[in-house]
């Protein structure tokens, strides 16, 4: 890493593209899209999404209108879906930039119908809530839409979707219950014919649900986490490639002795002489404070526990057990890498890989590797 940085984040675009291909293979003959919301989970959508497009992905899922607008010029010809719906007042931006709003309420449906009359019809999607109870048309809305198909008049529907609550637990009974509910809705709705008789795609699967089996595949998946290397089925072997390496420099070494403590709150006390290394990353960089006295980093492949609290810009690790001379200021240690993947760090931090990724900070030197020209 260059001298002015104390930490570097390396993002392997080749691994992300390989993960896309693996997921697309699992989904075949159904389609595989990509969730690129939250800046590709913090990894950089502008850098990554065009490579997914070149790898054959043509369905991109973001949360917000701004995310869609930022990606629109970078993904010519691709569909970009706004999963968080249609904010009041955004109709003109959405329609004018060929973004596809996922309509989550009767009010959003009505506003898109009105916008389609004045701004020329544009495709939209519908999301039905089938048990997550988070976002989407309710059970009562579904009953109304099934009873009166005219409520959907004037919509050019390109996708109908729902989202599972427990897909990372293959045994959870809610998976089957939501699947049944999604089938009932998609089988019962009488949908308006599409322009040019284009297909209306049904989409239920995100990363984990791709691995629940083909019952859950329908026509289109929208994985995010698995693209970026997070294990879609925790507790089983991860079939995906790691896409992230996070390294930071050792800034100082110091000798400590029996009964000395380290860090704010003096939360770790040494039981004998040891050596501490201070590393130039902290919670402002997304290294969770909950890793204090719990997590570890890797020094030349050797585990070194984080001792004391994580502070804003620094962490301290115990390297007393490593051979003298094998650790020196200026050396890089691995926080996320070959010896510790995102899921392992998340477990130590008491969270999930998604939160680790989306919190990775802005102070790192960022490097993108593995991209095909
Ligand atoms: C975030 C999200 C996805 C992608 O989920 P992953 O678990 O990261 O694959 C898909 N669909 C919806 C509705 C989402 O909110």
């Amino acid at each position: 890493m260059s001298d002015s940085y104390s930490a570097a984040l390396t993002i392997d675009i080749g691994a992300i593209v390989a993960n896309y291909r693996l997921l697309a293979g699992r989904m075949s003959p159904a389609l595989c899209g990509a969730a690129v919301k939250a800046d590709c989970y913090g990894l950089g959508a502008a850098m990554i999404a065009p490579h997914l497009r070149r790898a054959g992905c043509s369905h991109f899922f973001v949360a917000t209108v701004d995310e869609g607008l930022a990606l629109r010029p970078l993904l010519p010809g691709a569909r970009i879906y706004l999963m968080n719906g249609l904010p009041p007042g955004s109709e003109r931006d959405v329609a004018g930039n060929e973004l596809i709003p996922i309509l989550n309420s009767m009010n959003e449906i009505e506003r898109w119908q009105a916008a389609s009359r004045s701004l020329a019809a544009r495709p939209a999607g519908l999301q039905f809530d089938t048990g997550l109870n988070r976002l989407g048309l309710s059970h009562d809305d579904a009953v109304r839409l099934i009873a009166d198909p005219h409520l959907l008049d004037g919509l050019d529907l390109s996708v109908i979707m729902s989202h599972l609550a427990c897909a990372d637990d293959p045994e959870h009974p809610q998976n089957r219950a939501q699947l049944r509910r999604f089938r009932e809705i998609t089988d019962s709705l009488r949908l308006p014919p599409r322009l040019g008789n284009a297909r209306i795609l049904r989409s239920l699967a995100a990363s984990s649900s791709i691995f629940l089996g083909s019952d859950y595949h329908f026509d289109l998946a929208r994985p995010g986490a698995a693209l970026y290397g997070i294990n879609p089925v925790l507790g089983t072997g991860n079939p995906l490639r790691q896409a992230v390496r996070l390294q930071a420099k050792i800034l100082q070494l110091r000798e400590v002795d029996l009964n000395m403590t380290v860090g704010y709150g003096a939360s770790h006390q040494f039981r004998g002489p040891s050596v501490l290394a201070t590393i130039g990353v902290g919670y402002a960089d997304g290294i969770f404070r909950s890793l204090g006295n719990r997590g570890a980093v890797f020094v030349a492949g050797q585990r070194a526990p984080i001792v004391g609290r994580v502070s804003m810009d620094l962490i301290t690790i115990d390297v007393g057990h490593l051979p003298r001379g094998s650790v020196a200021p200026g050396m890089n240690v691995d926080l996320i890498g070959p010896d510790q993947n995102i899921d392992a760090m998340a477990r130590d931090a008491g969270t999930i890989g998604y939160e680790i990724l989306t919190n990775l900070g802005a102070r790192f030197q960022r490097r993108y590797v593995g991209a095909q020209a």
Side-chain angles (χ1 to χ4, degrees), residues 16 23 34 39 59 62 70 74 89 92 136 161 187 202 229 282 299-301 304 324 334 347 350:
I16 296 172
L23 297 168
D39 202 23
H59 299 264
V62 296
L74 304 178
R92 189 168 292 275
M161 60 178 263
D187 289 349
R202 295 161 299 164
V299 184
R324 290 265 149 165
D334 269 303
R347 195 183 47 235

Side-chain angles (χ1 to χ4, degrees), residues 197-260:
N197 277 329
R199 232 162 33 111
I200 301 175
L201 303 173
R202 295 161 299 164
S203 177
L204 182 62
S207 295
S208 299
S209 20
I210 291 175
F211 295 86
L212 291 176
S214 56
D215 281 359
Y216 291 82
H217 289 180
F218 293 92
D219 305 311
L220 172 66
R222 25 173 230 278
L227 289 175
Y228 314 117
I230 290 175
N231 192 351
V233 191
L234 288 176
T236 66
N238 187 350
L240 300 152
R241 276 175 58 184
Q242 291 304 305
V244 173
R245 183 167 192 182
L246 176 59
Q247 296 171 292
K249 272 183 205 161
I250 296 178
L251 303 181
Q252 274 197 341
L253 292 178
R254 63 191 344 104
E255 310 268 340
V256 287
D257 218 334
L258 174 72
N259 292 337
M260 283 183 163

Side-chain angles (χ1 to χ4, degrees), residues 35 37 41 83 127 134 161 163 206-208 222-226 354:
K37 61 189 179 182
Y41 294 34
M83 293 195 291
Q127 173 161 231
R134 189 177 73 171
M161 60 178 263
H163 197 46
S207 295
S208 299
R222 25 173 230 278
Y354 297 64

Side-chain angles (χ1 to χ4, degrees), residues 22-23 33 36 45 59 67 79 105 117 175 178 183 186 202 206 317 322 353 365:
L22 184 143
L23 297 168
V36 294
H59 299 264
E67 290 176 341
R79 299 193 197 169
S105 67
R117 280 192 294 275
N175 295 327
Q178 288 195 256
R183 275 230 183 85
T186 53
R202 295 161 299 164
I317 61 172
L322 302 181
Q365 178 180 21

Side-chain angles (χ1 to χ4, degrees), residues 94-112:
V94 172
N97 290 281
E98 291 183 55
L99 303 174
I100 304 179
I102 301 295
L103 307 173
N104 289 309
S105 67
M106 298 304 284
N107 174 270
E108 290 188 353
I109 290 176
E110 287 155 19
R111 281 193 287 111
W112 195 246

Side-chain angles (χ1 to χ4, degrees), residues 58-133:
S58 37
H59 299 264
F60 291 86
F61 293 85
V62 296
T64 67
V65 177
D66 278 352
E67 290 176 341
L69 290 173
L71 281 176
R72 181 69 283 172
L74 304 178
L75 300 173
R79 299 193 197 169
I80 301 177
Y81 304 92
L82 311 176
M83 293 195 291
N84 277 9
L86 184 66
S90 70
E91 293 84 354
R92 189 168 292 275
D93 271 347
V94 172
N97 290 281
E98 291 183 55
L99 303 174
I100 304 179
I102 301 295
L103 307 173
N104 289 309
S105 67
M106 298 304 284
N107 174 270
E108 290 188 353
I109 290 176
E110 287 155 19
R111 281 193 287 111
W112 195 246
Q113 285 165 322
S116 297
R117 280 192 294 275
S118 61
L119 301 166
R122 295 285 179 189
L126 296 180
Q127 173 161 231
F128 288 93
D129 193 287
T130 53
L132 181 60
N133 275 319

Side-chain angles (χ1 to χ4, degrees), residues 237 295 303:
R303 189 176 190 280

